[in-house]
Amino acid sequence: MRILIVEDEVTLNKTIAEGLQEFGYQTDSSENFKDAEYYIGIRNYDLVLTDWMLPDGDGVDLINVIKHKSPRTSVVVLSAKDDKDSEIKALRAGADDYIRKPFDFDVLVARIEAKLRFGGTNIIKIDDLIINPDEEKITYLGRDIELKGKPFEVLTHLARHSDQIVSKEQLLDAIWEEPELVTPNVIEVAINQIRQKMDKPLNISTIETVRRRGYRFCFPKKA
């Protein structure tokens, strides 16, 4: 499960991130609206935890950005505003929960768990191809495909952006925790594994190489 933390108080942001990582969550951190918008554009989040007041924008306005890109993503608003009208405004704007500051961290985790437990499905279904990111499982015509790790994540990311050409740099930013420490060749390796372990045995084509631009999910398309 991946969570984006949008909080301009650096110490609080770091504390939340480290705490959630101890519970097994993957986290990204942003301290402003602009960076949060960038992360939302390149990555798929199960939940976004956002402060209401950001230095360059409004956390409530960020809800629209999140829900437009991924309606299933849960949004929890953190706010020092303790009045009823503010809570109602956030919930009506699309927030899934509203937590007042200061808050107990254990309560925060419990409420995050509740939102993720009852959230929308992550499953991607295209014709007879089913990709289940939560279980890292792929099924085609009832047959399980052994594709794990980064190749699985690359396939999933491209499937979620099937209407787009995705560059190597975008894939690195979206999937690798420290993209600056790896070379773009790792994308070619992942794509090759997808083709060898999945496309070739099943006689299908899932990834199209777009010269000088990147890759595009092209299923269904017979090889």
Side-chain angles (χ1 to χ4, degrees), residues 57-110:
D58 192 318
V60 172
D61 291 335
L62 190 63
I63 297 171
N64 293 326
V65 177
I66 299 164
K67 295 294 185 178
H68 177 75
K69 195 237 177 181
S70 178
R72 68 168 185 80
T73 299
S74 296
V75 182
V76 176
V77 174
L78 300 176
S79 179
K81 297 174 180 285
D82 61 359
D83 59 289
K84 180 178 70 174
D85 290 342
S86 294
E87 181 172 359
I88 291 172
K89 180 180 178 180
L91 294 172
R92 284 181 173 168
D96 297 280
D97 202 355
Y98 185 92
I99 300 177
R100 295 178 175 83
K101 295 180 178 178
F103 53 82
D104 182 276
F105 184 76
D106 289 337
V107 172
L108 173 66
V109 171

Side-chain angles (χ1 to χ4, degrees), residues 59-177:
V60 172
D61 291 335
L62 190 63
I63 297 171
N64 293 326
V65 177
I66 299 164
K67 295 294 185 178
H68 177 75
K69 195 237 177 181
S70 178
R72 68 168 185 80
T73 299
S74 296
V75 182
V76 176
V77 174
L78 300 176
S79 179
K81 297 174 180 285
D82 61 359
D83 59 289
K84 180 178 70 174
D85 290 342
S86 294
E87 181 172 359
I88 291 172
K89 180 180 178 180
L91 294 172
R92 284 181 173 168
D96 297 280
D97 202 355
Y98 185 92
I99 300 177
R100 295 178 175 83
K101 295 180 178 178
F103 53 82
D104 182 276
F105 184 76
D106 289 337
V107 172
L108 173 66
V109 171
R111 292 174 79 162
I112 287 175
E113 289 174 345
K115 295 305 162 191
L116 293 175
R117 185 165 61 247
F118 297 112
T121 179
N122 285 321
I123 294 175
I124 301 166
K125 189 175 188 302
I126 304 170
D127 286 359
D128 297 311
L129 180 67
I130 301 172
I131 304 172
N132 187 333
D134 292 338
E135 297 182 9
E136 200 175 50
K137 181 179 179 181
I138 301 172
T139 305
Y140 179 68
L141 291 172
R143 175 178 171 182
D144 291 341
I145 312 304
E146 287 299 319
L147 189 73
K148 305 292 183 182
K150 295 305 182 187
F152 177 88
E153 293 185 53
V154 168
L155 178 71
T156 300
H157 187 82
L158 290 171
R160 281 175 169 156
H161 298 82
S162 57
D163 58 338
Q164 303 172 23
I165 296 173
V166 183
S167 69
K168 288 183 178 179
E169 291 73 19
Q170 289 172 322
L171 283 168
L172 287 172
D173 283 342
I175 297 169
W176 273 260
E177 291 297 323

Side-chain angles (χ1 to χ4, degrees), residues 36-45 65 69 157 161 164:
E37 199 170 21
Y38 169 75
Y39 275 120
I40 292 162
I42 67 167
R43 290 187 172 171
N44 298 293
Y45 292 99
V65 177
K69 195 237 177 181
H157 187 82
H161 298 82
Q164 303 172 23

